[in-house]
Amino acid sequence: MKKMVGILVIGLLVSTQLKAQAQEITWYSFEEVIDKVEATPKMILIDVYTDWCGWCKKMDKETFTDEEVIAYVNENFYAVKLNAEDSKKKFEFRGREYSEEDMARAMRVQSYPNFVIMDAAMENITQLPGYREAKPFVSSLVALLENFKQ
């Protein structure tokens, strides 16, 4: 009997852990997405942020923890976190070396948070600057994908 209870408790802990893991956006580095998009094409959502940006932290705490946002982003995008002030992390993109700071500058990001949307060919489509609450954020992503598919 004790063994059965132990197995049930372990099963419950594992399922709780898996559920908790499924309830967050899967964030990748820019270099990881370069490989992923080649293997399985998908749109890319890049969250360009800085460590000092209060609105960026609010996005992380409120918008990016919303179940609808998590589900929609994970299903339709490769999500990338890009620190616009990190000059140390280096990666190669289209034959050139970039830092995250260099990439943010190349994307012409001038305010934070800023969401750069790239297609599966890794071409910039648009930017969505500024803090967004969950429902308007999902709505803008849905509208963008609908317009892009036309």
Side-chain angles (χ1 to χ4, degrees):
M1 184 68 164
K2 281 186 179 181
K3 198 174 199 177
M4 183 64 101
V5 171
I7 291 171
L8 287 173
V9 169
I10 290 171
L12 182 62
L13 289 173
V14 169
S15 69
T16 303
Q17 181 66 23
L18 290 174
K19 186 176 180 186
Q21 289 175 352
Q23 293 182 342
E24 58 187 42
I25 293 175
T26 304
W27 294 104
Y28 299 98
S29 66
F30 197 88
E31 56 271 32
E32 287 174 319
V33 167
I34 294 169
D35 294 334
K36 286 195 142 314
V37 79
E38 282 182 22
T40 308
K42 202 177 197 184
M43 301 279 281
I44 302 156
L45 168 70
I46 303 172
D47 173 18
V48 185
Y49 71 96
T50 64
D51 290 333
W52 53 263
C53 170
W55 290 109
C56 300
K57 292 174 185 177
K58 189 172 173 81
M59 283 292 299
D60 286 340
K61 186 177 178 182
E62 296 177 11
T63 305
F64 292 146
T65 58
D66 181 86
E67 289 180 20
E68 187 179 358
V69 171
I70 293 165
Y72 193 78
V73 169
N74 283 343
E75 183 178 334
N76 294 286
F77 295 91
Y78 290 121
V80 174
K81 285 275 194 189
L82 192 82
N83 185 339
E85 296 180 327
D86 186 342
S87 60
K88 294 177 183 156
K89 274 190 203 161
K90 305 280 185 181
F91 56 91
E92 192 171 308
F93 179 61
R94 296 189 173 155
R96 182 171 168 224
E97 185 177 81
Y98 288 89
S99 67
E100 290 191 357
E101 180 181 41
D102 295 333
M103 183 56 71
R105 195 175 305 119
M107 292 176 175
R108 294 189 165 95
V109 173
Q110 297 179 351
S111 63
Y112 313 102
N114 202 323
F115 308 97
V116 176
I117 309 297
M118 297 177 98
D119 64 15
M122 298 198 77
E123 296 292 334
N124 288 6
I125 295 172
T126 193
Q127 292 185 20
L128 304 171
Y131 171 78
R132 306 206 174 213
E133 292 180 353
K135 290 210 181 299
F137 187 62
V138 170
S139 295
S140 60
L141 293 176
V142 168
L144 184 117
L145 285 183
E146 286 175 3
N147 287 335
F148 185 73
K149 290 177 182 175
Q150 292 178 357

